[in-house]
Amino acid sequence: SGLLGAGLVTAGLGLGVILMLGLDRLTPHSHEQVGACGPGCERLGRVGLFVLAIAIHNIPEGMAIGVGFGQGDLAVGLSLTSAISVQNIPEGLVVALVLRSAGLSTTWAVLIAMATGLMEPLGAVVGFVVANGYAWAYPVGLGLAAGAMLFVVSHEVIPETHRRGHQTTATMGLMAGFATMMILDVAL
């Protein structure tokens, strides 16, 4: 039924938020307003905290891809993979440039940026296994991935993009990204 389906997706959404709250509490990271948070954050510099945050946020992106393919629906899996892959290009470039500006060689900066992206295939395997095992796991898994990504966007990305007067540019980028995702969803 529609109500049960909505309930399953909502339960997954809540699980995604709980997952990210746990990671937020258990991993070192930095917030603009509050500063460094989490265990061991004093051992990592600002660049290290940034790279770790990018690596961690790739987990739910990978889970979304895995869940998308979990029930054998290529249209869902391919549209998610395409959209996430498109945004991974500038994301990886940003990581490499930040590491390069911190003094790492080009080779190390690129290798570390690529390593942060390896969290996505790991998340994809987890998402695929979970969604492939049980019929109810597909909507819950998609909800979990969506909840985790919404949490990251609301908790980390939006506040960061709106500082220093860049809120209009950031909002326009969000809208363009949303439009691109919708086009990819319909086209694939």
Side-chain angles (χ1 to χ4, degrees):
S1 77
L3 186 58
L4 179 60
L8 288 173
V9 172
T10 302
L13 200 72
L15 289 173
V17 170
I18 291 168
L19 170 69
M20 295 315 292
L21 279 172
L23 288 172
D24 189 59
R25 180 169 223 152
L26 298 174
T27 58
H29 60 284
S30 179
H31 295 282
E32 184 63 31
Q33 302 298 334
V34 209
C37 304
C41 63
E42 62 279 350
R43 291 186 298 242
L44 294 173
R46 189 151 174 83
V47 171
L49 292 171
F50 169 75
V51 171
L52 185 59
I54 295 292
I56 289 169
H57 107 275
N58 282 331
I59 296 170
E61 288 181 358
M63 288 172 60
I65 291 170
V67 169
F69 284 109
Q71 293 290 305
D73 190 347
L74 289 178
V76 172
L78 288 175
S79 66
L80 284 169
T81 302
S82 298
I84 291 172
S85 296
V86 166
Q87 69 88 32
N88 280 343
I89 295 167
E91 180 180 277
L93 182 61
V94 166
V95 171
L97 290 173
V98 166
L99 291 169
R100 188 72 182 105
S101 69
L104 267 68
S105 70
T106 302
T107 302
W108 276 109
V110 169
L111 288 174
I112 292 171
M114 288 171 42
T116 64
L118 291 177
M119 299 305 285
E120 274 186 33
L122 295 174
V125 169
V126 170
F128 181 81
V129 168
V130 169
N132 203 22
Y134 304 99
W136 58 265
Y138 184 68
V140 170
L142 283 176
L144 186 146
M149 286 190 271
L150 285 170
F151 179 90
V152 169
V153 168
S154 176
H155 194 64
E156 304 288 343
V157 177
I158 290 174
E160 185 67 21
T161 59
H162 282 65
R163 66 187 187 127
R164 297 188 187 148
H166 297 292
Q167 58 270 18
T168 302
T169 306
T171 301
M172 297 312 294
L174 177 68
M175 295 297 106
F178 185 77
T180 302
M181 177 60 188
M182 292 302 102
I183 291 167
L184 288 172
D185 187 45
V186 171
L188 298 176

